[in-house]
Amino acid sequence: MSFNMNNVAFSDENAVVYNILNGVTIQNIPFTILSLSTCTDADSDGWYVELEGCNSEPGFLGHGDCNDGNANINPGAVEICRDSIDNNCDSDIDIDDSDCRKIYSIELKTGWNLVSLPAEPLNGNNQVFVHTAESFGQLTGADTVTQWNEETQKYAGHIVGYPINNFDIELGMGFFVHVQSDSSTEMLGVPLEGITRSVSVGWNALGWPNLATTAHEFGSLITGASVCSKFDATAQLWDSHIIINPEVNNFAVNLGDGAMVSTTSASIWSYP
């Protein structure tokens, strides 16, 4: 008696385990079939370790799971840009993954603009760096970049091209940019995650780090916030929303916008 087996694992009467390769014929050996399956999905995420086959398995989504012990890691996952893990199994981690390097548009109107960094900046070597008032002014063609000092409750400006008050532009910080004409600039960066800012009693210049929201939703995330204001760059006028009146003048706040938020208590604002 003979058997032709394809990738079947079996054991004989002495409990010795054999792996039978495709096309091998075994004669007169008693055996018990241990498994007919070579499809591995231990974390049940629908992604299989094997690089081929398994398409008929229940819930099949694809091949090449690089971490079968974590259902959040597979070729269909979104790369998280700051966790030192290859989330989507493409062998690139964090900013080495092209999914974490995006082009952002910075639109400025003639006159003053209240903005924030839409992403963490990357240089030409795909390395994270800190923009200063000077480097951001050079990037956008601005003549002046100004910060709001929450401690003194005063403005402090930097004239582009002069080495005076060349402050760092922090993530989640709102700041003012002055240009002589409308401009559009592209910036390479990493999506913002885990923004944390100290909020002082009085006015604070903050930047919105995510997709579109409203003045009310933004202000409601900040302890003791009473007013959220934006500077309308087109009209060159201030526009304000009182937090306790959610339906009145509840203007939109977009990624890359800055806002002035008045608070009655000091706190730490974290998002998300």
Side-chain angles (χ1 to χ4, degrees), residues 63-222:
H63 305 102
D65 194 339
C66 60
N67 186 338
D68 205 32
N70 188 331
N72 295 317
I73 299 175
N74 56 62
V78 175
E79 182 71 15
I80 298 173
C81 301
R82 293 176 177 82
D83 65 353
S84 300
I85 295 172
D86 180 15
N87 307 96
N88 59 4
C89 297
D90 65 355
S91 300
D92 292 322
I93 297 174
D94 295 350
I95 62 173
D96 290 332
D97 194 310
S98 60
D99 291 345
C100 290
R101 302 192 301 271
K102 299 183 179 181
I103 299 293
Y104 296 83
S105 179
I106 300 172
E107 307 288 337
L108 300 175
K109 296 294 185 181
T110 301
W112 286 103
N113 300 260
L114 176 52
V115 300
S116 63
L117 291 177
E120 188 170 14
L122 292 173
N123 62 21
N125 296 319
N126 291 328
Q127 296 174 324
V128 170
F129 75 101
V130 177
H131 257 309
T132 64
E134 178 67 22
S135 65
F136 190 85
Q138 294 285 352
L139 174 69
T140 58
D143 54 36
T144 308
V145 181
T146 296
Q147 68 178 146
W148 172 256
N149 188 315
E150 282 83 6
E151 293 184 2
T152 64
Q153 295 287 288
K154 294 180 179 179
Y155 294 106
H158 169 74
I159 299 175
V160 178
Y162 292 87
I164 300 173
N165 195 33
N166 185 24
F167 57 88
D168 289 344
I169 298 176
E170 301 170 356
L171 303 180
M173 163 186 172
F175 58 99
F176 297 83
V177 183
H178 187 272
V179 293
Q180 295 294 331
S181 60
D182 292 0
S183 68
S184 178
T185 306
E186 290 185 340
M187 187 189 87
L188 179 66
V190 183
L192 296 173
E193 297 174 4
I195 300 300
T196 299
R197 297 283 299 169
S198 295
V199 177
S200 301
V201 174
W203 287 100
N204 298 263
L206 302 174
W208 182 246
N210 210 323
L211 301 179
T213 187
T214 64
H216 183 74
E217 291 174 347
F218 190 4
S220 296
L221 294 173
I222 301 168

Side-chain angles (χ1 to χ4, degrees), residues 5-87:
M5 306 298 295
N6 298 325
N7 297 320
V8 176
F10 69 92
S11 63
D12 67 6
E13 56 210 330
N14 297 316
V16 177
V17 177
Y18 298 86
N19 289 314
I20 307 305
L21 301 177
N22 186 34
V24 174
T25 300
I26 303 299
Q27 295 183 342
N28 301 322
I29 300 179
F31 65 90
T32 301
I33 295 176
L34 301 180
S35 174
L36 292 175
S37 175
T38 57
C39 295
T40 310
D41 182 20
D43 57 12
S44 301
D45 60 0
W47 292 88
Y48 287 79
V49 173
E50 289 72 24
L51 300 179
E52 60 183 12
C54 307
N55 301 58
S56 61
E57 293 292 317
F60 174 84
L61 293 176
H63 305 102
D65 194 339
C66 60
N67 186 338
D68 205 32
N70 188 331
N72 295 317
I73 299 175
N74 56 62
V78 175
E79 182 71 15
I80 298 173
C81 301
R82 293 176 177 82
D83 65 353
S84 300
I85 295 172
D86 180 15
N87 307 96

Side-chain angles (χ1 to χ4, degrees), residues 242-253:
I242 299 175
I243 305 301
I244 61 173
N245 295 322
E247 304 302 323
V248 180
N249 201 30
N250 188 20
F251 56 81
V253 182

Side-chain angles (χ1 to χ4, degrees), residues 235-246:
Q236 294 288 289
L237 295 171
W238 285 100
D239 199 4
S240 296
H241 168 72
I242 299 175
I243 305 301
I244 61 173
N245 295 322

